[in-house]
Amino acid sequence: MKNRNFFLFVLFFSCEEMKSSKDVFFGKTVVLEENLETIQVSPVLLLEKDMLITPDHLITLGADQGAYFKVFDLQSLDLVGEFGNEGEGPEDFTMPFSSGMTVSGEQLVIGDLLSMRSADLNSDFWSEESQFSRTAYPSEMIPLNFPFLLNPNTICGQVEMSSKHITCFDIKSFQFTELVDYPDFFSFNNEKPYERERMFQNQSRVSPDGSYIVLTYSYLPLVRIFDVKSGGLKEVFIKNNRDFYSNNSGNKNQIAPDNQLFYKNVKVSNKFIYAFYQEEIIEDDPQSEGGLSSRSISDKELHVIDFEGKPIKKIILPEWANVFSPSLDDKFIYFLHPEIEDQIFKFPLEQ
């Protein structure tokens, strides 16, 4: 793969990356279930994988059983439609996933295994008459892990064996740019070429206005914030219950541990980062499939952080609260229960 700079990324390489890594404590903690509104809806929500809030709608991503996506009016939470069948046709989807399901400017963006699609948010994008614009991933970027749309012309993601963490592809110029160094935490065995990619498994999101790329990590209690315009990189290292320290501790070149987990998901508005966190230990378990099982050693938490890396608040979650999405105005966070098909839960952020 050729690494060529193009006009969208000139600024990335004209300034130095600014890093600030420190162990962060959250001064304000709230409990989700103490102030949670329950809203009755149509009984169609069962085992949903993810959820996205647009200015006017709430969209859920479900399993391959009929249509992938269900669309609710955001004000009334009435079901208004569904779309996205599994198949190989121009309007069909091939295994859509959470990280490719975003708002980008005035567009709804949905990524699947082979392509990225976008539609006008102001249209009836769930209707049969609606047409999604489809862009196939270039062969050099497949498999493309955690893809996202940086702007209408640029697809980004993690490409195996790339020297950088994020690779971007310009749809119009067909050029590639690699950006954002991997975290400088571990030493790796050169005889295992995929070890770095495996240990730096991440969740990637871009802010709706395209200003920031946010990365959180499965094996690191770390949030990284990349400023698209300036090229600045901030690192927020979360204080944790394990014997695990940031770069400033002097343990910089420790061998990568693979038996502890931290971040599971992240969502981003134009104002805040919402990072889903729970510390787990992976242990040998002869009774389980694969011989391994995980054990939680902390509460489920939602970390709210601004783009300067300042911790805003920590929200303690119940065990069921895995699927969530903030509203674009940051007034509410919505949740789904995996076993309740006719309720949506709403939490006021400002309290």
Side-chain angles (χ1 to χ4, degrees):
M1 181 186 299
K2 295 182 179 180
N3 180 18
R4 293 172 290 179
N5 301 342
F6 53 94
F7 71 97
L8 286 174
F9 297 101
V10 169
L11 287 177
F12 288 170
F13 301 97
S14 63
C15 60
E16 295 182 358
E17 289 186 346
M18 298 172 290
K19 296 185 180 181
S20 59
S21 181
K22 58 183 180 180
D23 292 351
V24 167
F25 294 87
F26 287 84
K28 184 173 184 179
T29 299
V30 296
V31 178
L32 182 78
E33 291 184 311
E34 291 181 355
N35 195 3
L36 192 63
E37 180 184 356
T38 302
I39 304 168
Q40 204 74 21
V41 299
S42 299
V44 295
L45 301 172
L46 189 61
L47 299 176
E48 300 297 291
K49 296 179 180 179
D50 206 354
M51 171 171 50
L52 176 68
I53 306 297
T54 76
D56 298 312
H57 296 96
L58 183 153
I59 306 170
T60 67
L61 168 61
D64 179 20
Q65 297 178 354
Y68 277 114
F69 303 97
K70 301 175 183 68
V71 184
F72 297 81
D73 178 87
L74 188 58
Q75 297 303 315
S76 65
L77 288 182
D78 292 335
L79 181 68
V80 298
E82 55 185 39
F83 69 97
N85 295 315
E86 172 74 16
E88 299 181 357
E91 298 301 314
D92 295 329
F93 289 80
T94 304
M95 298 177 63
F97 42 77
S98 300
S99 65
M101 185 177 170
T102 61
V103 170
S104 179
E106 299 297 321
Q107 298 287 305
L108 167 66
V109 178
I110 298 176
D112 67 8
L113 190 64
L114 301 176
S115 64
M116 192 77 71
R117 289 177 170 85
S118 60
D120 190 341
L121 280 171
N122 297 316
S123 68
D124 294 337
F125 50 82
W126 60 88
S127 67
E128 293 183 1
E129 293 77 21
S130 176
Q131 295 291 318
F132 276 82
S133 174
R134 182 176 182 270
T135 301
Y137 305 135
S139 59
E140 294 92 336
M141 295 185 79
I142 297 176
L144 181 63
N145 297 320
F146 308 105
F148 56 89
L149 197 70
L150 181 61
N151 57 53
N153 297 323
T154 311
I155 296 173
C156 299
Q158 185 178 351
V159 178
E160 291 181 355
M161 302 304 292
S162 170
S163 62
K164 298 282 188 177
H165 204 156
I166 301 295
T167 297
C168 293
F169 170 70
D170 185 271
I171 297 169
K172 292 186 175 180
S173 68
F174 295 95
Q175 292 183 335
F176 294 92
T177 293
E178 296 175 319
L179 61 144
V180 187
D181 289 328
Y182 277 96
D184 188 15
F185 274 82
F186 304 131
S187 59
F188 292 98
N189 186 340
N190 292 331
E191 296 178 358
K192 299 179 179 180
Y194 292 97
E195 185 180 31
R196 181 179 61 180
E197 286 83 353
R198 180 178 66 87
M199 290 312 306
F200 287 132
Q201 290 179 24
N202 67 283
Q203 305 85 34
S204 308
R205 296 282 180 171
V206 62
S207 61
D209 63 4
S211 296
Y212 296 94
I213 297 171
V214 177
L215 304 169
T216 60
Y217 295 85
S218 299
Y219 295 102
L220 281 172
L222 178 69
V223 177
R224 304 176 88 209
I225 307 164
F226 184 79
D227 188 317
V228 172
K229 292 182 179 179
S230 72
L233 178 64
K234 291 184 172 64
E235 294 183 339
V236 182
F237 194 90
I238 302 300
K239 187 69 176 178
N240 56 87
N241 296 318
R242 297 286 286 160
D243 186 18
F244 200 110
Y245 303 97
S246 66
N247 288 1
N248 295 339
S249 69
N251 291 343
K252 181 176 177 179
N253 293 319
Q254 59 183 304
I255 298 297
D258 59 2
N259 70 329
Q260 54 195 57
L261 298 173
F262 297 97
Y263 279 106
K264 299 175 180 294
N265 196 359
V266 63
K267 300 293 180 71
V268 180
S269 71
N270 285 326
K271 188 176 180 181
F272 294 126
I273 298 160
Y274 299 83
F276 179 33
Y277 179 94
Q278 186 173 34
E279 295 176 37
E280 295 181 343
I281 303 289
I282 300 175
E283 301 173 319
D284 292 331
D285 183 0
Q287 304 302 318
S288 67
E289 184 177 352
L292 296 172
S293 65
S294 62
R295 174 172 56 88
S296 301
I297 61 170
S298 78
D299 292 326
K300 284 187 177 180
E301 302 171 355
L302 196 61
H303 294 168
V304 185
I305 302 168
D306 69 16
F307 289 105
E308 294 301 315
K310 177 184 177 182
I312 304 302
K313 67 177 61 177
K314 177 169 61 178
I315 303 171
I316 305 300
L317 305 177
E319 277 302 308
W320 58 263
N322 295 320
V323 177
F324 71 95
S325 182
S327 60
L328 291 179
D329 59 8
D330 298 288
K331 290 184 178 180
F332 299 99
I333 308 174
Y334 294 81
F335 292 86
L336 300 179
H337 193 298
E339 298 176 352
I340 299 178
E341 62 182 6
D342 61 351
Q343 292 177 6
I344 292 175
F345 301 90
K346 185 177 178 182
F347 178 80
L349 186 64
E350 297 177 356
Q351 58 171 297

